[in-house]
Amino acid sequence: MRHLKSRFLPLAAFAVCLFAAGCGEVNDTIDKAQACLEAPKIVTDLGAQITKLTDDPQAMDKALDDAATKLNDVADKATNTTLKEATDDLAATLSGISVTSVNDAVDAAQKVGTDSAAYLEKVAKACTG
């Protein structure tokens, strides 16, 4: 029994050291995984909202700003450079869209659809790579 105990202690010490040294890396992985889940959900939710808001420019403008804010939060947490840059870019695009009329709303919906599709493609590559 003593022999087993002496093997266990170095193994336990090794595990603690490995865990302590790897915490940052584990957090990076969790942050990336979380960002990979959150970002597409924000974009998908926005897409669903946008289609319902083409007759309400003010509500659409608010939805775009809210989505941009959420994406900025995700970008701040993202540890993957590609994911962070793509998310920052889409957030900036959404923030830059101004919707003041129904015509603006229709144009915004088209732009969001196109830009979101390109963004989701980048996210998919960043998250699987």
Side-chain angles (χ1 to χ4, degrees):
M1 185 71 164
R2 181 163 167 83
H3 185 36
L4 181 61
K5 189 174 181 182
S6 66
R7 282 188 181 173
F8 177 72
L9 287 176
L11 182 60
F14 175 74
V16 168
C17 289
L18 185 64
F19 180 71
C23 279
E25 191 173 311
V26 169
N27 286 339
D28 289 349
T29 303
I30 291 169
D31 290 343
K32 179 181 175 185
Q34 185 176 356
C36 287
L37 292 173
E38 286 182 30
K41 184 179 181 333
I42 293 166
V43 173
T44 302
D45 290 349
L46 176 62
Q49 279 186 300
I50 290 290
T51 59
K52 297 175 188 173
L53 298 175
T54 53
D55 292 332
D56 189 348
Q58 187 176 13
M60 182 182 284
D61 199 50
K62 182 177 179 348
L64 291 168
D65 288 342
D66 290 348
T69 299
K70 290 176 187 174
L71 286 170
N72 278 324
D73 290 343
V74 170
D76 289 344
K77 291 187 267 183
T79 55
N80 178 286
T81 305
T82 304
L83 180 60
K84 180 174 178 35
E85 288 174 359
T87 304
D88 279 337
D89 289 348
L90 184 60
T93 297
L94 295 178
S95 293
I97 296 173
S98 178
V99 182
T100 57
S101 69
V102 173
N103 286 340
D104 289 344
V106 171
D107 292 343
Q110 290 173 347
K111 179 158 182 57
V112 168
T114 302
D115 289 0
S116 294
Y119 169 75
L120 290 173
E121 188 176 319
K122 289 177 190 175
V123 169
K125 287 179 185 175
C127 291
T128 57

